[in-house]
Structure formats: C-alpha cells, structure tokens
Amino acid sequence: MTPTGRRRAVLAVVLTAGSLGLLAPGLPVAAAPAVGTATPVAPPAPPAADPAALAALPRAPDALPGLTSLGPCPAGVAPDPFDALTPEPDAVPGASGRGVLVAVVDSGVAAHPRLAGGVVDGGDFVAGGSAEDDCDGHGTAVAGIVAAAPGADDGVVGVAPGARVLAVRADTAWSRTATGGAGDEAVLARAVRAAVAVPGVRVLTLAVAACRPGAALVGGTGPAVGALRAAIRDAVARDVVVVAAAGNVGPACPANDPASAAQRVVTVPVPAWFGVDPTEVLTVGALDDDGTPDRASLAGPWVGLAAPGRVPAALDARSAGLTADLTLPGSAPAPVVGTSFAAARVAGAAALLRARFPTLSAAEVVARLRGTAAPVAGAAPAAVGTGALDVAAALAGARPAEPAPVSAPVAGGGTGRAAVVGLAVLVAVLAGVVGVVVRRRRRS
C-alpha cells in the first residue's frame, strides 16, 4: 500500500486559513515527511484548565455561523475482497465490551447496521442537525473499529463489538465557515462537555487534533484550549477513560524528531498534548503493518501507547457496506490509515476492560493498558509510549514474557532439530513479509 498525500494537504488548509480548525488525523501522506524545520523548543506545559472559559461557551448544539457545504458527501470505495478478509489485529475471541457506552467525538457516526449496539445521537455542534450525519466518513470508520459487529463475509469486527456508541459531531472537512474550517478547540470543548454529561459514558474517543507550533505556545494559549482542558478534566472527574490520537505529520503538522522529542518539539497537537499526564489523556501513536512506528505519526512526550494505524476495510458512512478509502474535498480517495484509527483500537480495548472489570477506575484502566503493552524494539518512547497495544495481555493483566534468546548450536553436536526450527521460523517470517507486500500492492 502506498498512501497518497493529497488528502492530508487538504485537511491542512483547515489549520492555516485563519482559524484553528480541527485536523482529523487518520489520513495518509505520500511518503514519510522530513523532521519539521520550524523552531524547536522545549515541550511547553499544557495550560491550566479554565472552567470559566468553558462555562462561557454555549451548551446547546447549534450550527456554526456562516456554515457552507463544499459539495455532496462522497460515496465509499468498496474494498478489495482480499483486504476485507483481513482480521482485526486487536480482536480477542469472547471479549465484547457489552454494556459499555463509548463516546466518539468526531465528524459524526452514521447509524450503520454493523453497529449492532446502536448509535446514540449526542448532538451536532457543526450544523445543529444530527450527529448521525457523517459526510466525511471518518467518525463512522472510528466507531466501527471500536464496536463493529462481525459480518458473515468479511474479517471486519470491532475491538469491542458489544459496546454502544455515543456520537457527538464536532468537525467536518466538507463544510467551512467565513473564517475557515468547521471546527476548532472551542467547538471540541463544547462537544466533550456534552459527551461526558451523558449518563453511562465510560470511554471518550478523540480522534481529532489541532496542530500548533510549539514556539507559539511558550507564552501561553488562548481561552479555547483552557476550556477544552477543563472539559477533559470534567471527563476525568467522572471516571471516563479519555483516548486521543497523537496526530499525523503533514504541511500543518511538521514532524517532531522521535529521538529528541522528549527535549525539543516543533509541533504540539491538541488535545493529545494533555497526554503528558496519561491519567488525563491516553495519547496514541500509530504503528505500521510491520509493528514499527509509523513515521507519519506525530511523536512527542505526550504519547502513552501505540497501536496499528491501518484499516484495510472500514464501515462506510454512506451505505450498509464497507469502504477502503475516505475522500475529502478536492482529493482522490485515500486509504484509511493513521493515528485516528490507532486511537480507536485503544478505545475499544478500554471498553473491553471496563466491561470485564467494572470496578477498575479510569486511571487503573489506563495503567493496565500501558503496563501490559508489548515492547517495540528500537522505538523511541516519544513515538510509542510504553509500547504496542496488547489487548489479550491487558485482559489477562500480565505483560507477555520476553522471547527467550536463541542459544548458539554446539559445534558438531547438532541433531538437525535446531535447523528445522530455524527453517520454520524463516518460512513464517517470509510468509508474513509476502502477506504485507501483497496487501500493500493491492492497495497501491
């Protein structure tokens, strides 16, 4: 699979056209971008929560002033049958998350029949209509990764297929206002406040991010960011697990060098930034198909965990079927890949833990997810946090044992068994490589 870069460039316009619009970070780039060239600074501390700024924001969902559509909502692109059969890497047989309500604050969530637990309309803070209106398809894809029911003819299934979804619409790339994009930190703060006020919400999924230059934050932020942190602090006070996407590198999100991001950063993503305290926000980076950090995943000291970022087939917001691509205005369809979808997998895992261990607090759920993560060899913590999501280990409550080192054969004393085992491992590795190459070629 060779992702295109056109989609992310379009989303970047939302951030650079005069407003602090929200970047939906689950979309691809053509190639791994270079480390950002803007001024690096020591990672700034997030602003204090500002309850007064949050209280000053309107509570009821309404349409953004001057909202205009950029065109008809795009149809999904049917996945290759081979890709549709790819099993969900983080699904655990027998684990369902039944009874857990997961809030998805995003571009909306369509009432797809595969969301068998149902979609609850939590309000539309973009157009003042229904949160089940998802022109972008992004929120529906995120919700499917969390809670899609299995199908008879494909491998698509949510990490927590028994969970219910609360949809709150806070962003879209298919509309704009007179000042720029449709959605900013203030809109997100209002949406988060509404989501966590719904009784029964146990997990909050924020697969959106607004990127800011780190140097511009040294002197502080505006009230909207303080209001957003206040809304998230309210979620934490209500014992909600808050999961956020780390954000993807692009024209408006210059890369941070993973090797030095603990000391110097160029770009700061909001609300992922608040993950410097993982008990407040669990920020999730993306992994490639081979389990290594995705170079388009924005690194930073706020990253607490990593998970696979590619989704071969996702729920389609425009039909009862699946899609392999999402489309933005002026953009060709592009694969479903990025930190949004990595965050969705972690949110699904959190739902499983909340269902199986209802007495665990939100902080204990986060600690369990991070404490049972699988090590990622050679990866900087700023890219993967404590490691790769391991849902089975989290449910078991124990980190898997490290593989035992292979002993060197005794000269002249081999029986042939070691050679046979080595050959079997080599064949398995080659098979995995071929599988990845075939999948990528089919998506190119």
Side-chain angles (χ1 to χ4, degrees), residues 22 25 44 49 51 71 102 114 151 161 172 178 189 252 277 280 297 302 313 318 390 427:
L22 295 176
V102 179
R114 294 281 287 272
T172 179
D277 178 0
E280 181 173 333
S297 178
W302 41 79
R318 309 253 70 80
D390 190 325
V427 170

Side-chain angles (χ1 to χ4, degrees), residues 32-191:
V35 172
T37 56
T39 305
V41 297
D50 191 343
L54 179 62
L57 296 174
R59 284 188 171 273
D62 56 9
L64 295 173
L67 191 71
T68 57
S69 171
L70 296 180
C73 299
V77 178
D80 183 291
F82 180 89
D83 284 347
L85 290 172
T86 303
E88 167 54 45
D90 292 303
V92 174
S96 74
R98 188 172 307 281
V100 176
L101 183 60
V102 179
V104 176
V105 177
D106 209 289
S107 61
V109 177
H112 196 285
R114 294 281 287 272
L115 293 172
V119 177
V120 179
D121 188 343
D124 178 2
F125 291 85
V126 174
S130 170
E132 295 180 15
D133 178 9
D134 181 15
C135 192
D136 306 66
H138 185 272
T140 302
V142 166
I145 295 164
V146 173
D153 302 318
D154 56 62
V156 175
V157 63
V159 178
R164 295 182 299 138
V165 172
L166 170 72
V168 183
R169 191 169 184 233
D171 184 35
T172 179
W174 279 91
S175 296
R176 63 180 295 113
T177 65
T179 57
D184 58 16
E185 289 102 329
V187 174
L188 186 57
R190 297 172 61 200

Side-chain angles (χ1 to χ4, degrees), residues 198-237:
V198 174
V201 169
R202 307 297 306 282
V203 180
L204 173 63
T205 314
L206 301 173
V208 292
C211 289
R212 288 178 171 229
L217 298 173
V218 174
T221 65
V225 180
L228 176 57
R229 194 170 192 197
I232 289 175
R233 282 282 181 88
D234 182 39
V236 174

